[in-house]
Amino acid sequence: KPGKKESGFCNKWVIEWEYSKEMLEVAYDICVDKNSEISFDYINGIIERWHKDGIKTLKDLENDQKPKKDSKSAYNLDLFEKMLNSED
């Protein structure tokens, strides 16, 4: 049976923030993969970040994990490729 602290986390995640079972499973998997054990504090940190960043669904999470393309870095990559090609 979960303790008072764990019950509080669960209420916040499910009732207040309305995270789905699938999202909770992803947070659990991330926690266990990183720490080799369950930590409600760690899972809470994951879900709090998602909540802050507006990540509510698996699709939102997938979009968040895609590399952000920024024009400055794209320019630098183009320049780097030109430099590599000019040495041939």
Side-chain angles (χ1 to χ4, degrees):
K1 182 176 180 180
K4 195 173 198 173
K5 182 178 180 180
E6 290 83 6
S7 293
F9 284 146
C10 293
N11 284 331
K12 178 171 59 172
W13 304 334
V14 175
I15 295 170
E16 288 180 41
W17 293 348
E18 300 178 342
Y19 277 92
S20 69
K21 177 182 174 188
E22 291 80 15
M23 290 298 286
L24 298 179
E25 288 173 350
V26 171
Y28 171 87
D29 289 343
I30 291 169
C31 173
V32 172
D33 287 348
K34 178 76 174 172
N35 300 312
S36 300
E37 62 186 19
I38 188 167
S39 164
F40 274 81
D41 288 321
Y42 195 89
I43 292 171
N44 187 58
I46 293 167
I47 297 173
E48 280 186 345
R49 185 188 75 78
W50 291 348
H51 181 71
K52 181 179 104 359
D53 292 347
I55 298 168
K56 294 290 291 179
T57 66
L58 294 175
K59 186 72 171 167
D60 293 340
L61 185 58
E62 180 183 309
N63 289 336
D64 182 65
Q65 293 177 344
K66 288 182 182 174
K68 309 283 190 277
K69 184 173 181 178
D70 113 36
S71 59
K72 186 175 181 182
S73 66
Y75 174 77
N76 289 340
L77 289 175
D78 290 341
L79 180 61
F80 181 70
E81 285 180 26
K82 286 179 185 177
M83 290 170 53
L84 286 176
N85 292 332
S86 70
E87 293 180 17
D88 288 343

